[in-house]
Amino acid sequence: MELRQLEYFVAVAEERSFTRAAERVRISQSGVSAQIRQLERELGAELLDRSGRAITLTAAGRVALDHARVTLASAGAVSRSVGEVTGLLQGRVTLGMVSGCTLEPLFDALAAFHQARPAVEIHLREGRSDRLVEQVRDGVVDVALVGMAAAAPLPDGLDSCIVLRDRLVAAVAPGHPLAGRAERAPLREVCAHPLVCMPVGTGLRAMVDQACAAQNLQPTITLEVSTADALAALAVRGVAVAIMVGSMVESHDDRLTAVAITDVQAPALLSLVWRAGRNPAASELVDRARHTFAGDSRASGPGSGGRAGRQAVERLSD
């Protein structure tokens, strides 16, 4: 039994796909399959049920998965401990980020970390905020940049810090009725129109759902998309009112008007999340990211397209 076999097995179990697991560990799909078959022969039991469209664990696989994770974590701890003694930071750090993230400070932090610690292998993966938090909790991801509603709790054992705050806005084309009221409107008036939002599981959607529930509103969400560009494209064409945050509208302010939602005061948050007692590589990456965001003007008040968006952001510091 080899550590790489356990690594491939864990990857397939978590991704539920040989194809995605192969991309994750960066070898061919046939190589992953062959190594797991070898592991199953050594253990005398099938670990994976390959009969369905998605790979699932057998009873033996469910038992083996926990032990495989512990073994891999222990092996990583040995490497990190030796690295601490020798003063050389090695190993691997996995960073998760919300889908469609284009924040320059995050990429600046990654570049600075890579330059300072070239021996550390960096893995980057995108996903929904709720799933990324689960992966941090489970040890699959070391650090994640996730969107959160202001009141959202974290699982036990996780730490976080807020790197960006932004205000909820309704994004509409300039000729839309909502654009003609000094770029301000209450949530009830916004919800009188069809909406396009981020999908359930994202921090922005959690904020929208909480705000509507607080006012007993049942909005008509006709479309769900995962990127700011898609939200903007649909709003520009008048398909629906896009629920965004002010900074999302920045690159579209020539085509969209940001209408401040006057009775939703709680800001949307973008936070770094990590496990308590994180490994040294993850610890340094968190520190660099916090420093980089703190030095960026958006860290204390992200900009937005349109006067209403800017006013909403300014009030965050009140």
Side-chain angles (χ1 to χ4, degrees):
M1 185 185 306
E2 299 179 6
L3 286 176
R4 63 172 178 169
Q5 293 172 338
L6 297 180
E7 180 184 7
Y8 300 165
F9 165 60
V10 170
V12 173
E14 291 174 349
E15 300 292 343
R16 302 183 67 189
S17 163
F18 279 98
T19 300
R20 291 193 297 272
E23 293 173 352
R24 172 170 154 179
V25 299
R26 297 191 294 183
I27 69 166
S28 68
Q29 182 176 332
S30 60
V32 170
S33 181
Q35 288 298 321
I36 292 179
R37 284 293 189 190
Q38 178 63 31
L39 178 62
E40 290 175 322
R41 283 194 292 271
E42 292 182 18
L43 294 174
E46 287 196 353
L47 303 178
L48 302 172
D49 183 349
R50 302 165 173 83
S51 60
R53 294 184 63 183
I55 302 298
T56 58
L57 292 169
T58 64
R62 288 192 292 272
V63 172
L65 180 59
D66 288 340
H67 292 289
R69 284 172 170 161
V70 169
T71 300
L72 291 172
S74 297
V78 171
S79 176
R80 291 192 297 271
S81 296
V82 172
E84 290 173 359
V85 171
T86 61
L88 178 63
L89 198 61
Q90 297 179 329
R92 179 173 71 178
V93 61
T94 301
L95 172 67
M97 66 180 187
V98 288
S99 299
C101 176
T102 57
L103 288 172
E104 296 293 335
L106 178 64
F107 303 134
D108 290 342
L110 277 177
F113 178 82
H114 176 65
Q115 184 174 7
R117 302 296 185 184
V120 177
E121 187 177 349
I122 301 173
H123 288 242
L124 189 62
R125 55 168 37 180
E126 289 187 319
R128 291 186 340 196
S129 293
D130 59 344
R131 181 59 181 144
L132 289 173
V133 171
E134 291 175 1
Q135 291 174 339
V136 174
R137 179 199 63 197
D138 295 339
V140 178
V141 170
D142 296 302
V143 186
L145 183 69
V146 300
M148 302 175 65
L154 284 173
D156 292 340
L158 299 189
D159 292 329
S160 69
C161 71
I162 299 168
V163 294
L164 291 176
R165 302 172 187 263
D166 210 341
R167 185 60 54 76
L168 206 65
V169 299
V172 297
H176 193 279
L178 287 176
R181 290 194 44 180
E183 300 175 10
R184 299 166 61 84
L187 182 61
R188 184 174 297 276
E189 193 168 319
V190 171
C191 289
H193 301 270
L195 304 181
V196 54
C197 292
M198 291 280 188
V200 173
T202 60
L204 181 56
R205 179 58 177 273
M207 185 179 180
V208 173
D209 291 344
Q210 288 178 15
C212 289
Q215 298 190 35
N216 294 317
L217 298 176
Q218 295 183 332
T220 301
I221 299 176
T222 58
L223 298 162
E224 294 182 343
V225 293
S226 298
T227 67
D229 285 344
L231 286 169
L234 291 166
V236 164
R237 289 162 175 80
V239 177
V241 173
I243 303 298
M244 307 171 74
V245 291
S247 57
M248 283 183 173
V249 192
E250 273 188 338
S251 58
H252 307 282
D253 60 1
D254 59 332
R255 303 185 298 160
L256 287 176
T257 297
V259 178
I261 302 176
T262 55
D263 50 355
V264 178
Q265 299 301 318
L269 308 177
L270 198 62
S271 299
L272 286 170
V273 177
W274 63 89
R275 291 181 70 181
R278 60 193 185 270
N279 69 55
S283 178
E284 182 167 331
L285 179 57
V286 166
D287 291 341
R288 287 184 178 275
R290 294 175 70 172
H291 176 76
T292 305
F293 274 104
D296 186 83
S297 61
R298 291 168 295 180
S300 58
S304 67
R307 181 175 64 257
R310 286 192 293 272
Q311 290 171 344
V313 169
E314 289 165 0
R315 284 196 296 274
L316 290 178
S317 61
D318 289 350

